[in-house]
């Protein structure tokens, strides 16, 4: 039987620490961390995410600046808003919720955010800094996964780590963070010849694909640490991850549930990044 990794609890303790440090920062310097969140259009899932971010900001004692724009917003208008937020000293972090409507070039938008306020760590400057191990911000989901792995007490050093998925948001930076901690990292993707065989080698398996129950019990080594980044609906419409939890759980040493695993960590790490941005702006 695997031990459950309780992301909800770990995220709550990270957020508590952030709230404490934000209060300290305010007392010492008068600086209140501020996060600007931009949402273009009315994707229902994005609306929920943005609402959760606002709630987390208020709970942490941060200022929250919400910019909800209509789907017809032009790229030029969005870039002008980002420029204003880049210049605004009350705003320490800027997050533009993805995906954006089709007529807006996501890369141009990400590149327009000041790297100092890029709390997603998606800007090419920050991606490059992560690559060389000299960074201020880590992308929230991979950073959250590392916290969850640390919570198990299992050290990454020398372990075979398999990341399934190669997105810019999760898979690629995830592989880099595991490498920084001296894991031997394999990245699998849709063209991988034998996914099951690669996964079976993993001491630490991170699934970040977006396919319901892709990782089945026969693909998991006895005693592996299994981290599920997926957030899908199964054939009954029930929320589930990329891992077939019910059948994998008895084989794993530690496993994250969905929901309540990686999900809550993402917002907690966003709060950490916003606090870091505010401290950097206050030259602490
Ligand atoms: N959409 C889904 N996940 C994310 C994220 O981590 N950051 C942003 N900006 N948009 C997202």
């Amino acid at each position: 039987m695997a031990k459950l990794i309780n992301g909800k609890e770990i995220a709550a303790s990270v957020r508590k620490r952030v709230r404490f440090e934000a209060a300290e920062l305010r007392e010492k310097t008068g600086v209140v961390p501020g996060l600007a969140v931009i949402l273009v259009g009315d994707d229902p899932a994005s609306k929920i995410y943005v609402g959760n971010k606002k709630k987390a900001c208020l709970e942490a004692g941060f200022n929250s600046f919400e910019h909800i724009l209509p789907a017809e917003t032009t790229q030029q208008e969005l870039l002008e808003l980002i420029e204003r937020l880049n210049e605004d000293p009350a705003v320490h972090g800027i997050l533009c919720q993805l995906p954006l409507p089709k007529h807006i070039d996501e890369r141009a938008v990400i590149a327009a955010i000041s790297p100092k306020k890029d709390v997603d760590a998606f800007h090419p400057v920050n991606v490059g800094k992560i690559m060389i191990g000299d960074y201020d911000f880590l992308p929230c989901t991979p950073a959250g996964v590392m916290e969850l792995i640390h919570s198990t007490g299992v050290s990454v050093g020398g372990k075979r780590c398999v990341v399934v998925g190669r997105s810019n948001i999760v898979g690629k930076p995830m592989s880099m963070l595991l490498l920084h901690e001296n894991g031997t990292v394999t990245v699998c993707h849709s063209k991988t010849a034998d996914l099951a065989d690669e996964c079976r080698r993993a001491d630490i398996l991170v699934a970040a694909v977006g396919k319901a129950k892709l990782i089945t019990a026969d693909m998991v080594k006895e005693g592996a640490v299994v981290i599920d980044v997926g957030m899908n609906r199964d054939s009954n419409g029930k929320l589930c991850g990329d891992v077939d939890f019910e059948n994998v759980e008895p084989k794993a040493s530690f496993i994250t549930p969905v929901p309540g695993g990686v999900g809550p960590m993402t917002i907690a790490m966003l709060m950490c990044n916003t606090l870091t941005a505010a401290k950097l702006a206050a030259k602490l």
Side-chain angles (χ1 to χ4, degrees):
M1 267 258 294
K3 289 206 178 91
L4 273 196
I5 305 175
N6 189 336
K8 225 169 141 175
E9 210 172 275
I10 297 166
S13 87
V14 170
R15 281 163 67 163
K16 192 169 161 196
R17 190 183 75 224
V18 167
R19 186 167 65 232
F20 178 81
E21 286 187 31
E24 234 180 21
L25 180 69
R26 191 171 56 240
E27 262 171 44
K28 267 197 216 151
T29 67
V31 171
V32 178
L35 175 66
V37 176
I38 306 168
L39 173 63
V40 186
D42 43 23
D43 177 65
S46 291
K47 271 187 178 166
I48 294 172
Y49 295 144
V50 167
N52 288 342
K53 284 163 189 167
K54 181 178 183 178
K55 225 169 91 188
C57 275
L58 299 180
E59 189 196 288
F62 293 6
N63 288 323
S64 163
F65 307 98
E66 250 187 351
H67 295 269
I68 312 287
L69 308 178
E72 313 76 64
T73 302
T74 65
Q75 179 165 321
Q76 189 56 31
E77 286 166 331
L78 179 56
L79 293 177
E80 281 166 14
L81 169 61
I82 290 173
E83 203 38 56
R84 285 200 300 280
L85 297 173
N86 281 342
E87 299 297 324
D88 185 342
V91 172
H92 303 102
I94 303 171
L95 180 145
C96 184
Q97 187 67 31
L98 304 178
L100 286 165
K102 295 265 180 296
H103 66 279
I104 297 178
D105 176 1
E106 229 160 72
R107 285 193 195 183
V109 170
I110 289 170
I113 295 172
S114 162
K116 292 191 168 74
K117 299 191 177 189
D118 171 37
V119 285
D120 266 323
F122 291 169
H123 190 287
V125 164
N126 288 324
V127 174
K129 289 178 94 167
I130 292 163
M131 191 85 170
I132 59 173
D134 167 32
Y135 46 78
D136 297 314
F137 308 116
L138 290 175
C140 302
T141 301
V145 169
M146 292 311 291
E147 292 280 330
L148 296 181
I149 294 172
H150 294 155
S151 80
T152 65
V154 173
S155 141
V156 174
K159 298 281 165 35
R160 286 185 197 274
C161 305
V162 174
V163 178
V164 189
R166 56 172 157 179
S167 69
N168 288 333
I169 296 184
V170 184
K172 282 186 210 167
M174 190 69 248
S175 65
M176 204 48 59
L177 302 194
L178 292 163
L179 184 60
H180 287 161
E181 294 199 9
N182 304 312
T184 301
V185 184
T186 302
V187 182
C188 297
H189 45 77
S190 53
K191 303 286 188 292
T192 295
D194 191 340
L195 179 64
D197 198 46
E198 299 292 348
C199 290
R200 268 194 294 272
R201 289 186 227 277
D203 302 307
I204 298 172
L205 180 62
V206 181
V209 182
K211 275 199 179 151
K213 303 184 186 181
L214 174 75
I215 308 295
T216 47
D218 60 303
M219 298 166 76
V220 176
K221 179 168 153 178
E222 197 70 45
V225 175
V226 179
I227 308 284
D228 191 349
V229 182
M231 184 69 87
N232 318 295
R233 299 263 168 202
D234 68 12
S235 48
N236 301 318
K238 194 169 162 252
L239 211 56
C240 74
D242 290 351
V243 175
D244 176 6
F245 183 88
E246 197 188 338
N247 295 307
V248 168
E249 185 270 338
K251 281 184 96 174
S253 58
F254 293 92
I255 189 167
T256 59
V258 176
V262 175
M265 293 305 291
T266 300
I267 287 194
M269 302 324 284
L270 175 66
M271 297 299 112
C272 286
N273 281 348
T274 305
L275 177 66
T276 302
K279 284 183 179 173
L280 289 172
K283 306 238 169 354
L284 282 184

